[in-house]
Amino acid sequence: MKTIKSTLLLLLSLCAFASFAEQTPTITQQELLTLMATPSTETLVLDVRTPEEFAQGHIKGAVNISHDQIEKNLSKIIAYKDKKVVVHCRSGRRAVSAENALSSAGFSKLQHLEGDMNGWQDANLPLEK
């Protein structure tokens, strides 16, 4: 019985480690602002909210592709496959879904905007309409 418990504990630990190891690295709001202010930076800010949410206010220069349309619209962003892509949505859930699809498509430099749009707005950072 002790061996079974130990084995189960080990398996659960390995699963947890694998889940956390595959998480997309984050980028802070300030780091993104600095990156956007650097003229030679080739970074895509990908807003995966709905077009209606995007129209209500978005980060300047962001490209909008709804999280459930990523795979159908890869051709629009394929030029960034090996460049930095910063993904965000309103609160994070849809961004993770989009990041998984992008990672499966071979995008290698994904980052998740810390706090997503809720955090951006809470910090009173600039929005474009």
Side-chain angles (χ1 to χ4, degrees), residues 15 90 117:
C15 288
R90 183 181 55 81
M117 186 53 70

Side-chain angles (χ1 to χ4, degrees), residues 27-39 41 43 45 59-60 86 113 120 123-127:
I27 184 171
T28 68
Q29 298 157 356
Q30 290 306 313
E31 288 170 331
L32 180 57
L33 285 168
T34 300
L35 198 60
M36 291 168 47
T38 307
T41 303
T43 300
V45 178
I59 297 171
K60 184 179 180 178
V86 178
L113 178 61
W120 191 269
N124 290 319
L125 294 171
L127 291 176

Side-chain angles (χ1 to χ4, degrees), residues 95-114:
V96 170
S97 172
E99 289 160 5
N100 289 335
L102 291 167
S103 181
S104 293
F107 282 73
S108 59
K109 296 182 181 175
L110 297 172
Q111 289 191 296
H112 186 107
L113 178 61
E114 199 172 276

Side-chain angles (χ1 to χ4, degrees), residues 61-72:
V63 170
N64 179 230
I65 301 175
S66 183
H67 77 287
D68 58 354
Q69 299 296 311
I70 293 291
E71 288 153 350
K72 294 177 187 175

Side-chain angles (χ1 to χ4, degrees), residues 77-96:
I77 58 172
I78 200 69
Y80 289 91
K81 189 173 182 178
D82 297 314
K83 297 177 181 150
K84 190 173 292 196
V85 177
V86 178
V87 183
H88 72 281
C89 64
R90 183 181 55 81
S91 63
R93 184 184 56 81
R94 293 176 285 180
V96 170

